Amino acid sequence: QLVLVESGGGSVQAGGSLRLSCVASGEDISSRCMGWFRQAPGKEREGVAATYDRALSRYYADSVRGRFTISQDNAKNTVYLQMNSLKPEDTATYYCAAQTYCTPAIDRLRDSTYHIWGQGTQVSVSS
């Protein structure tokens, strides 16, 4: 059974950087489609970035493209989210997730297509 554990969240000032990690256990994720999502208080969960490492495919929300980078280290069974030029509006709880099977690309940032979730890590960005 695949289990995902996120870490790396924290509090930073606007313009700063954080790297989130999602360590997977119980299963090899090299053939999985993986994603990062976030949810701010009072808002719906939104897709931030997604990856399918075997196809070298990467997808980003417009709000983070050019600032965030998703990557995967299969030797460590880990997915990362490098977040640069952070803004106060990036404040949220960030979740790592895995799809049971890879959906078409258009669905890769839709949270309803992911069925395995981590517990989340909090990111706070102050102005």
Side-chain angles (χ1 to χ4, degrees):
Q1 181 178 353
L2 180 62
V3 176
L4 305 174
V5 178
E6 305 95 332
S7 64
S11 297
V12 296
Q13 289 190 328
S17 298
L18 285 173
R19 188 177 80 156
L20 305 184
S21 299
C22 171
V23 178
S25 61
E27 191 178 308
D28 179 359
I29 63 169
S30 63
S31 61
R32 288 266 192 178
C33 285
M34 305 293 295
W36 283 97
F37 294 78
R38 67 186 181 187
Q39 188 168 21
K43 295 187 177 181
E44 293 187 352
R45 187 163 55 190
E46 64 172 337
V48 174
T51 181
Y52 179 45
D53 199 61
R54 286 194 170 182
L56 300 179
S57 300
R58 307 284 189 265
Y59 307 90
Y60 296 96
D62 289 342
S63 58
V64 307
R65 187 174 290 112
R67 300 188 298 121
F68 290 12
T69 303
I70 188 171
S71 62
Q72 185 165 329
D73 185 339
N74 292 323
K76 296 182 178 181
N77 221 30
T78 300
V79 179
Y80 301 98
L81 185 68
Q82 177 66 45
M83 305 187 296
N84 299 328
S85 302
L86 282 162
K87 304 175 180 180
E89 51 264 44
D90 294 319
T91 295
T93 300
Y94 283 72
Y95 299 90
C96 176
Q99 292 187 323
T100 301
Y101 55 89
C102 288
T103 58
I106 195 172
D107 292 330
R108 295 284 171 84
L109 293 179
R110 292 178 56 188
D111 61 349
S112 61
T113 64
Y114 289 76
H115 302 97
I116 302 167
W117 292 83
Q119 84 289 348
T121 186
Q122 179 66 40
V123 172
S124 296
V125 184
S126 59
S127 57

